Amino acid sequence: MRVLVVGSGGREHALAWKISRSPLVRALFAAPGNPGIARVATLVPLAATDVAGLVAWVRQNAIDLVVVGPEAPLVAGLVDRLQEAGVPAFGPAAAAAEIEGSKAFAKDVMRAAGIPTAEYETFEEVAPAVAWARARDGRVVVKADGLAAGKGVVVCGDAAEAEAALRAMLVDRVHGGAGARVVVEERLEGPEASCICFTDGERIRLLAAAQDHKRIFDGDRGPNTGGMGAFSPTPNVTPAVAEMVERDVLLPAVRELARRGRPFRGALYAGLMLTPRGPRVLEFNARLGDPETQPILLRMASDVVPALLASARGDLSGAEIAFDPRAAVGVVLAAEGYPGEVARGDAIDGLDGPFDEGVQVFHAGTAADAAGRVVTSGGRVLTVCALGRDLDDAAARAYAATGRIRFRGMQYRKDIGKKP
């Protein structure tokens, strides 16, 4: 098979790394990719959102399967255009991807399907939104309705914080059009978990559960980020909880989207809060998570390509997925200034280790400079992942590898894998 991976982040590097190990694949490409992906795939100089360019390139190069990593090209209709060209693509069509592209739409799907979630309302004006938040003492979560690169969520502790967040989105438009409408919901308490499945629009195959760390500083302090690290499995998702999530969350979402004429094929991600009343959905994503994908795929013992292709073709009935019983921990190394404006162009040393067996360094915000050196080019620069006997062992191995990598202003959390 000839396979194209679309995207350039740590999730896409993990996908390319895993796909490259499949005996079914004879040629692997990535658009636009990054220097880490270039070690396992041929890079194609096309942006992930260049829908017309990607479809033309796929046709010209006889690609058998396209795996779309990030949300932006999904929402932009890349899979729709590939389907029209007769090319199997892993990922939902634009109508189904709206479950991530609009948080208000996602909440509507949850309400219609009876999926447990937080109490909420949707607003386009500041005054009623502030009143709704104040009625709950400001202990709410304010979410930009549209795509905001993982930064459109503010967890508020009091009325002043809630009003500031609402004014920033609805008046100051800090997220542009994505924040022209907001979802305000009650603030839930409990540990979080990420449960992701592959689906063909009818059937699902649940992946190993993971847990990520959103806030920038140790102890879950500071602003939210796209994710500072993740681990799998999470002890909070027991077999009973996983069964409940499959039955009460993922399958109902897939069926409700199908009922609306929006069949979902690809990876459906449920971000959960495990409350004393049971799991509650915080969000749905229309793709694999980042950084959860990195430790999840490190643990995947089976060939991922048959499942990706089966999902794309609409028939997962014969697909089986298996996972290594060991644990995996991924530590994100971020650039100076993240999650705000970041420095770029700093040389990265130590990428070749040496590292212990079971360690993988996945590139995200990296680029090659004129001299061929790998340099920083984004907020989340690398994810250092390691397998271990248990979470403590995997974390120790990941941090040992992290200690061999250096770039100016490098920041990372020291407590990945230690969340309750």
Side-chain angles (χ1 to χ4, degrees):
M1 292 178 60
R2 294 166 61 82
V3 179
L4 171 68
V5 174
V6 175
S8 61
R11 166 186 49 230
E12 288 76 42
H13 189 182
L15 279 165
W17 168 79
K18 184 65 177 174
I19 291 168
S20 73
R21 299 162 70 88
S22 172
L24 300 174
V25 175
R26 63 182 178 88
L28 179 61
F29 305 89
N34 62 43
I37 296 175
R39 295 189 174 192
V40 296
T42 300
L43 302 190
V44 180
L46 290 171
T49 52
D50 182 359
V51 173
L54 288 166
V55 173
W57 187 89
V58 164
R59 281 174 159 166
Q60 293 162 5
N61 289 271
I63 298 301
D64 300 300
L65 172 66
V66 177
V67 179
V68 185
E71 62 274 19
L74 295 170
V75 173
L78 175 58
V79 170
D80 304 69
R81 303 290 83 78
L82 290 167
Q83 289 174 344
E84 290 169 4
V87 179
F90 178 82
E98 192 176 354
I99 200 165
E100 177 169 6
S102 169
K103 291 182 175 62
F105 174 74
K107 283 289 196 178
D108 184 56
V109 168
M110 290 184 236
R111 178 177 283 171
I115 295 170
T117 187
E119 178 191 11
Y120 75 99
E121 288 294 341
T122 302
F123 301 94
E124 296 180 5
E125 301 293 336
V126 170
V130 169
W132 198 90
R134 283 178 176 165
R136 288 149 186 83
D137 299 321
R139 291 185 60 78
V140 298
V141 182
V142 178
K143 299 179 176 181
D145 179 54
L147 297 178
K151 300 174 185 176
V153 177
V154 181
V155 180
C156 307
D158 55 42
E161 285 185 7
E163 182 169 355
L166 288 164
R167 290 192 179 279
M169 292 188 197
L170 290 172
V171 179
D172 301 335
R173 295 296 173 89
V174 294
H175 300 301
R181 177 168 58 172
V182 299
V183 172
V184 187
E185 60 185 33
E186 65 174 325
R187 180 173 168 177
L188 301 174
E189 301 294 341
E192 294 186 36
S194 302
C195 289
I196 308 170
C197 69
F198 289 171
T199 176
D200 58 10
E202 178 184 354
R203 293 161 286 263
I204 71 172
R205 293 291 183 271
L206 195 62
L207 304 185
Q211 194 167 344
D212 74 345
H213 301 61
K214 287 292 188 188
R215 296 192 180 241
I216 185 69
F217 300 127
D218 288 6
D220 286 338
R221 295 178 297 109
N224 270 343
T225 71
M228 290 301 294
F231 59 92
S232 176
T234 169
N236 293 314
V237 179
T238 63
V241 170
E243 182 180 353
M244 186 185 307
V245 170
E246 185 171 353
R247 181 189 67 235
D248 298 340
V249 173
L250 294 168
L251 275 171
V254 168
R255 288 168 179 163
E256 176 62 19
L257 287 168
R259 188 189 69 80
R260 294 174 180 229
R262 303 176 185 231
F264 190 109
R265 296 180 183 178
L268 181 61
Y269 170 117
L272 305 169
M273 183 75 79
L274 305 178
T275 76
R277 295 178 293 160
R280 297 290 184 271
V281 177
L282 299 175
E283 64 177 350
F284 278 116
N285 291 330
R287 36 73 192 183
L288 289 160
D290 189 344
E292 296 98 327
T293 298
Q294 291 89 304
I296 288 173
L297 290 187
L298 196 60
R299 291 187 59 219
M300 187 177 285
S302 51
D303 187 344
V304 72
V305 172
L308 296 173
L309 187 60
S311 170
R313 288 177 170 169
D315 186 4
L316 273 169
S317 59
E320 298 297 334
I321 300 173
F323 287 90
D324 191 314
R326 293 177 292 174
V329 169
V331 179
V332 169
L333 311 187
E336 183 179 25
Y338 184 73
E341 290 296 317
V342 299
R344 299 172 189 268
D346 293 307
I348 305 172
D349 297 318
L351 285 173
D352 293 322
F355 301 120
D356 292 340
E357 184 179 356
V359 170
Q360 293 291 332
V361 179
F362 296 114
H363 290 224
T366 66
D369 68 7
R373 300 179 306 168
V374 178
V375 299
T376 62
S377 70
R380 293 186 294 172
V381 178
L382 303 164
T383 307
V384 181
C385 290
L387 283 169
R389 294 183 307 275
D390 51 30
L391 287 174
D392 287 340
D393 184 45
R397 292 172 182 269
Y399 280 110
T402 294
R404 298 181 181 274
I405 298 171
R406 298 168 300 283
F407 56 86
R408 189 186 65 81
M410 185 173 88
Q411 56 173 330
Y412 59 94
R413 285 183 56 158
K414 315 300 190 299
D415 61 349
I416 305 299
K418 301 296 184 184
K419 293 181 77 171

